[in-house]
Amino acid sequence: WLGVALHASIPLGGRAPARGTVLGVVGEATLGWRVNSLLGLHTSVSTFAHDAARTTVVGDSGVEEGVVYGRMTAFDLLTARVYLPLPRRIEPWAELGGGVGIRRPPLADEPPHAAGLARLGVGVDFWLAPAFSLGLSTAYRMTVIGDAVGHGLRTGVDLGIHW
């Protein structure tokens, strides 16, 4: 299947730089394989605002303050999804996966960081037609950068195209 998603990223805590500090909008693209009626495997890529910093710039027109955002690009390398097949067009599922990511900090004086990622999620797909599904999902996300661990939640809507 091919999926696109629009989610909200909600920081839950942890230690910087792995801890997210801003609510953000997440765009995600997924490529998956439905092994059988109970198991699916997928990989995905997503990007979102992760943290923020305040800046002050002194220029010819005076002092200007602003906010700049650091971004995370997440590559979920392999996620296993287990389905609970029900009669009709409603299909609940749970998933567990891991991957890697790149955190680009908000200020240029800090280098990018490599991140380890884990996800544990639940959702439900509503089949609109034999090849289209609309889903709702929520996932706990863990980010590890060095010895720092951050925790977050993602929740949103998924659109699937199946063949």
Side-chain angles (χ1 to χ4, degrees), residues 10-22 49-51 150-151:
I10 305 164
L12 297 178
R15 245 180 54 219
R19 176 189 70 230
T21 59
V22 296
H50 179 71
D51 49 2
H151 310 279

Side-chain angles (χ1 to χ4, degrees), residues 117-141:
L117 306 169
R119 75 191 283 166
L120 176 63
V122 295
V124 60
D125 287 337
F126 301 95
W127 288 85
L128 306 175
F132 295 98
S133 64
L134 182 66
L136 302 173
S137 64
T138 297
Y140 162 77
R141 304 283 298 201

Side-chain angles (χ1 to χ4, degrees), residues 9-111:
S9 174
I10 305 164
L12 297 178
R15 245 180 54 219
R19 176 189 70 230
T21 59
V22 296
L23 292 173
V25 175
V26 181
E28 181 174 86
T30 300
L31 181 62
W33 172 47
R34 185 76 178 254
V35 178
N36 56 40
S37 65
L38 299 176
L39 179 65
L41 301 173
H42 70 85
T43 186
S44 62
V45 62
S46 61
T47 186
F48 54 96
H50 179 71
D51 49 2
R54 295 196 75 66
T55 62
T56 303
V57 178
V58 179
D60 294 337
S61 61
V63 176
E64 293 182 24
E65 292 189 6
V67 176
V68 290
Y69 294 97
R71 297 200 62 79
M72 177 76 77
T73 300
F75 302 95
D76 291 313
L77 300 176
L78 182 62
T79 299
R81 183 178 286 184
V82 178
Y83 294 90
L84 177 61
L86 296 175
R88 314 291 290 184
R89 297 177 179 248
I90 300 172
E91 198 166 44
W93 51 263
E95 66 182 10
L96 175 66
V100 296
I102 300 168
R103 174 188 171 256
R104 294 178 307 285
L107 302 175
D109 61 350
E110 189 180 345

